[in-house]
Amino acid sequence: MSADARVVAPSLIEAAETRIAAYDWPALTAELDGFGCAVMEKLLSPEECRQLAGLYPQEQHFRSHIHMARHGFGKGEYRYFRYPLPDLIGGLRGALYPRLAEVANRWNERMGIAMRYPATHAAFLDQCHAVGQVRPTPLLLQYVPGDFNCLHQDLYGDLAFPLQVAILLSDPGEDFTGGEFALTEQRPRMQSRVEVVPLRQGDAVAFAVHNRPVQGTKGNYRVNLRHGVSRLRSGMRHTVGIIFHDAR
């Protein structure tokens, strides 16, 4: 894959940065620090949601098609986008990364992890590609009644960015019922904590992929997180996942 295959036009990044900058990032950061997830309401318009969901049957946009049941991941299916990404996805991926990299670097410092993430997404992708992680990871998921996604972590290689974003494209109550996004947090020598995140069409949730720090009485300790989707009761549900590291 050539480097140009993943380049996003500066104008698209700027438009996405304007959209992302409108959010209250101190409040979102506090949510991420406190609960491991934060919701960005109405990141996408209903029309943008419909356009992205409509890509699902168009083979030319994707590099692979995964049926979850074949791999023990749950029940349902998803497709990984190929490079170049759709303009909207590529723009948001580049614009969200710097905001989340600040959180990721602070978390690593608190957890005693030496890794620090560069300021731009392009620089981070260069690091991924240098270790053989060259396949794009943003994906489009589709669920029908009875489908679910088991609790998991999207790592894909030795180099993994510690936060990711999921955007609900379908309208709860209208397009589908059930299918709640859930996050579990395994705490040392304690019972696991569950966070169920209510989302509306166009809402995005940023969340921890693997670990995050928690302040305890004796300093910071590390918790382990997994995420999934509960069983769809009716209708059809589409979601976009924006993962910032590429895969082997």
Side-chain angles (χ1 to χ4, degrees):
M1 182 195 70
S2 68
D4 290 340
R6 58 179 171 83
V7 169
V8 180
S11 60
L12 296 173
I13 291 287
E14 290 173 6
E17 285 174 347
T18 299
R19 188 184 303 214
I20 297 304
Y23 288 95
D24 183 348
W25 279 96
L28 292 175
T29 297
E31 287 283 306
L32 285 166
D33 286 343
F35 305 102
C37 61
V39 174
M40 292 171 278
E41 296 182 351
K42 299 181 179 179
L43 178 61
L44 299 183
S45 70
E47 179 57 28
E48 289 171 329
C49 290
R50 286 188 289 270
Q51 289 175 357
L52 288 176
L55 298 179
Y56 196 84
Q58 301 178 33
E59 299 280 350
Q60 68 271 24
H61 297 291
F62 304 98
R63 65 172 176 84
S64 65
H65 185 181
I66 306 298
H67 293 272
M68 296 185 203
R70 294 178 185 171
H71 305 277
F73 297 161
K75 188 181 177 188
E77 58 184 76
Y78 54 88
R79 294 175 181 257
Y80 287 107
F81 286 103
R82 65 171 71 248
Y83 281 129
L85 300 174
D87 291 344
L88 185 57
I89 300 301
L92 288 174
R93 197 185 191 205
L96 284 163
Y97 171 87
R99 303 278 184 170
L100 298 177
E102 293 181 7
V103 177
N105 284 333
R106 187 163 44 77
W107 282 5
N108 278 6
E109 182 178 1
R110 290 175 58 190
M111 291 187 291
I113 298 172
M115 175 69 184
R116 296 294 181 269
Y117 300 94
T120 68
H121 190 241
F124 177 61
L125 286 183
D126 286 341
Q127 293 181 351
C128 290
H129 296 179
V131 296
Q133 295 179 210
V134 298
R135 296 187 298 162
T137 48
L139 68 164
L140 183 56
L141 302 100
Q142 177 175 279
Y143 301 84
V144 296
D147 288 354
F148 61 95
N149 198 345
C150 294
L151 294 169
H152 65 284
Q153 299 167 329
D154 295 310
L155 298 176
Y156 300 116
D158 294 333
L159 188 57
F161 190 71
L163 294 114
Q164 69 189 65
V165 173
I167 310 171
L168 181 61
L169 303 180
S170 305
D171 188 359
E174 293 291 331
D175 296 330
F176 72 94
T177 60
E180 293 86 2
F181 178 87
L183 192 70
T184 65
E185 191 172 85
Q186 185 179 7
R187 303 175 295 171
R189 298 177 297 281
M190 291 183 282
Q191 293 181 326
S192 295
R193 186 181 70 86
V194 178
E195 186 85 10
V196 177
V197 183
L199 298 171
R200 296 173 295 182
Q201 185 179 37
D203 288 354
V205 55
F207 58 96
V209 174
H210 184 203
N211 298 125
R212 76 176 185 93
V214 174
Q215 180 66 45
T217 56
K218 299 180 180 179
N220 290 290
Y221 63 93
R222 193 180 305 187
V223 297
N224 188 50
L225 296 102
R226 297 180 183 273
H227 64 278
V229 174
S230 70
R231 177 166 56 94
L232 203 75
R233 306 288 177 160
S234 65
M236 182 176 288
R237 180 188 191 273
H238 286 99
T239 309
V240 160
I242 299 179
I243 298 165
F244 296 95
H245 47 274
D246 278 354
R248 287 194 180 277

